[in-house]
Amino acid sequence: MLKNTWITSNHSISGQHHKLSLHYQSSVISSLNAVDPEDWNALVGANYPFLYHQFLLALEQSGSINASVGWVPNYLILHDKSGKLVAAAPRYIKFNSFGEFVFDWAWADAYHRSGIEYYPKHVIAPPFTPATGPRLLISPGAGIELKLNLLKSLINDAELAKVSSLHILYPVEQDDLLQSSDLFRRFGYEFHWNNRNYSTFDDFLANLKSKRRKQIRKERKTVFESGVIIDMISGADATESQWHIFYELYIDTFNKYGNHPALTLDFFLQIAASMGSSILLIFATLHNRIVAVSFFLRGHDTLYGRYWGAFQDIPFLHFELCYYQALDYCIENRIQHFEPGAQGEHKISRGFLPTPTPSFHWIADPRFRIAIGRHVKQEQQYLLAYMNTLMEKSPYRSETQIIKPC
């Protein structure tokens, strides 16, 4: 599917009206095969592997995303008059809310009870990825004008397609998106870690309260006394046998919790071949047998934890592979941020603090726009109070800052 539309930039910035001479051609493509990988990745930058051309194309080609799982690629791209790719949005047509991690099931139910269809809708986010990152991709050095043109095109497309809504999940462009009166902001929370220029893991521990410091040391000691040997391996260096073992554990973990393992083995093998240096695997071996593994993706200054699985239950091994080894890696490699994934209040005592994660929404129906907007404002007050309660459990010795509306 390909749609071309010429648009002219014309809007108000910072209280002044600027009529711009730039024109852009808006196109809709159903596969990243239609875009040069280097051109796309130049828009993404080096810190967010979930939007790399290799990653998204592997999702398509491996069958991990398609209509049957509710993710249909519908990328919006902008070219300038010379034909250069200058902006893009990782947009998908959604027929359910599976794999989004910003939960709108109640909204869908309200639509259903009112006899109105909620699906399909448009979602701007990499599939199955609760990790903050860019969503309005523009050429390096381009101004906010181009970003707002892209947003305008996205909203216009949603109106023309007669979808119920448009959802921009986990964006880093909060300030830019807040300029649009067509969107309202919602937020949830995750538990993130920030590197305070630690030189060693012991430096990190020294910032914690005595009780938490002792607990972490006890947990790590228990793991190493079990005889487990731990190895960190770049995805580019992992053997096909190791990838098969990882995938067996990936499937097993999802099955244990009754969830659908959306990603295929072919997907992981493809990204191992095309972007393996951005992948970190941490294996635990006992008696010459792999017993557990954790999977991470790395950007320039952020590490993202994604998957974990174990063949046997070894006390505290989950914390070691998913948190402590990853923190060691961040400290050694001067990585500033670590996002270990969604959920998990147990992360607080291990150094991860509640962090607001925003999303932005456009609702077509004016009645639901008012009702959902009111609900989101009430929800925000509850979440702020809850996150500040969680902050009282901070393991750090220094005073913890109160979370305010973002």
Side-chain angles (χ1 to χ4, degrees):
M1 171 179 148
L2 181 65
K3 181 190 74 175
N4 293 311
T5 307
W6 283 98
I7 60 175
T8 303
S9 175
N10 185 8
H11 49 73
S12 176
I13 300 292
S14 300
Q16 297 183 358
H17 190 71
H18 298 270
K19 188 165 185 176
L20 306 173
S21 59
L22 292 176
H23 295 68
Y24 306 105
Q25 185 180 33
S26 168
S27 303
V28 177
I29 58 174
S30 58
S31 172
L32 279 190
N33 266 326
V35 177
D36 180 84
E38 290 187 8
D39 291 346
W40 178 275
N41 287 343
L43 303 182
V44 175
N47 201 42
Y48 200 67
F50 300 106
L51 288 183
Y52 289 175
H53 189 281
Q54 306 95 301
F55 187 91
L56 296 181
L57 188 60
L59 286 173
E60 294 178 28
Q61 294 179 337
S62 66
S64 297
I65 57 171
N66 49 50
S68 66
V69 295
W71 290 87
V72 177
N74 192 243
Y75 311 107
L76 179 67
I77 58 176
L78 301 184
H79 291 87
D80 64 16
K81 280 191 170 182
S82 70
K84 177 185 176 182
L85 181 67
V86 294
R91 181 178 63 189
Y92 296 85
I93 301 172
K94 290 299 307 296
F95 298 98
N96 55 40
S97 295
F98 170 62
E100 296 175 23
F101 298 92
V102 175
F103 303 108
D104 63 351
W105 302 104
W107 303 1
D109 182 61
Y111 269 70
H112 177 72
R113 286 187 281 108
S114 298
I116 304 173
E117 293 294 334
Y118 187 65
Y119 305 107
K121 61 180 182 176
H122 285 174
V123 166
I124 316 294
F128 319 119
T129 306
T132 54
R135 298 296 180 259
L136 303 178
L137 312 180
I138 62 171
S139 297
I144 190 174
E145 296 90 353
L146 178 56
K147 196 172 286 188
L148 294 181
N149 266 289
L150 178 59
L151 178 60
K152 176 183 177 182
S153 293
L154 289 166
I155 294 173
N156 287 345
D157 269 14
E159 290 176 331
L160 291 172
K162 298 188 184 304
V163 294
S164 72
S165 48
L166 166 69
H167 309 266
I168 305 174
L169 312 181
Y170 293 91
V172 295
E173 305 94 337
Q174 268 203 92
D175 292 342
D176 301 331
L177 292 169
L178 282 170
Q179 294 197 34
S180 173
S181 60
D182 295 314
L183 303 172
F184 62 80
R185 179 182 56 183
R186 185 188 190 191
F187 76 92
Y189 66 93
E190 290 184 348
F191 300 95
H192 297 172
W193 177 86
N194 291 311
N195 191 341
R196 304 180 182 181
N197 297 317
Y198 304 121
S199 297
T200 64
F201 193 87
D202 281 339
D203 284 347
F204 159 63
L205 290 181
N207 276 264
L208 303 183
K209 297 171 184 175
S210 175
K211 178 180 178 181
R212 296 307 175 193
R213 187 165 58 246
K214 291 178 181 178
Q215 180 62 32
I216 290 174
R217 285 178 172 150
K218 176 183 176 183
E219 291 174 358
R220 301 201 80 179
K221 182 180 179 182
T222 300
V223 170
F224 289 108
E225 287 181 345
S226 72
V228 164
I229 297 173
I230 294 176
D231 295 297
M232 291 187 182
I233 301 176
S234 166
D237 297 328
T239 66
E240 187 165 335
S241 173
Q242 287 173 321
W243 277 111
H244 278 265
I245 292 171
F246 160 76
Y247 192 69
E248 183 180 349
L249 286 168
Y250 166 80
I251 292 290
D252 181 66
T253 299
F254 275 80
N255 288 339
K256 280 180 181 177
Y257 294 97
N259 295 325
H260 174 65
L263 303 178
T264 66
L265 174 60
D266 186 45
F267 165 76
F268 288 106
L269 294 178
Q270 282 195 48
I271 62 170
S274 62
M275 50 181 285
S277 61
S278 298
I279 300 170
L280 174 67
L281 294 170
I282 304 180
F283 287 96
T285 304
L286 184 63
H287 306 311
N288 296 316
R289 174 178 174 265
I290 293 174
V291 293
V293 64
S294 53
F295 173 99
F296 305 81
L297 282 170
R298 176 184 172 171
H300 174 68
D301 69 359
T302 306
L303 184 70
Y304 303 93
R306 297 303 297 122
Y307 306 110
W308 135 274
F311 288 120
Q312 65 184 81
D313 184 17
I314 297 174
F316 307 121
L317 184 59
H318 171 258
F319 302 145
E320 183 65 35
L321 257 61
C322 293
Y323 308 140
Y324 305 145
Q325 287 291 324
L327 292 178
D328 265 331
Y329 180 85
C330 289
I331 293 167
E332 181 178 349
N333 291 278
R334 302 292 181 183
I335 295 174
Q336 295 304 303
H337 311 287
F338 178 25
E339 296 189 19
Q343 303 172 348
E345 292 182 13
H346 60 275
K347 295 171 184 170
I348 297 176
S349 62
R350 291 159 181 93
F352 300 87
L353 296 180
T355 305
T357 54
S359 59
F360 286 78
H361 309 266
W362 172 84
I363 305 295
D365 188 299
R367 297 163 300 173
F368 278 98
R369 187 184 311 143
I370 293 171
I372 292 174
R374 183 168 55 244
H375 160 73
V376 166
K377 287 182 179 179
Q378 294 171 346
E379 180 184 58
Q380 175 173 298
Q381 296 306 310
Y382 166 77
L383 286 172
L384 282 172
Y386 182 62
M387 280 190 286
N388 280 305
T389 299
L390 292 176
M391 289 293 274
E392 294 174 3
K393 302 177 182 178
S394 168
Y396 292 95
R397 292 189 293 119
S398 58
E399 183 177 342
T400 303
Q401 187 175 2
I402 294 175
I403 297 174
K404 298 179 181 179
C406 49

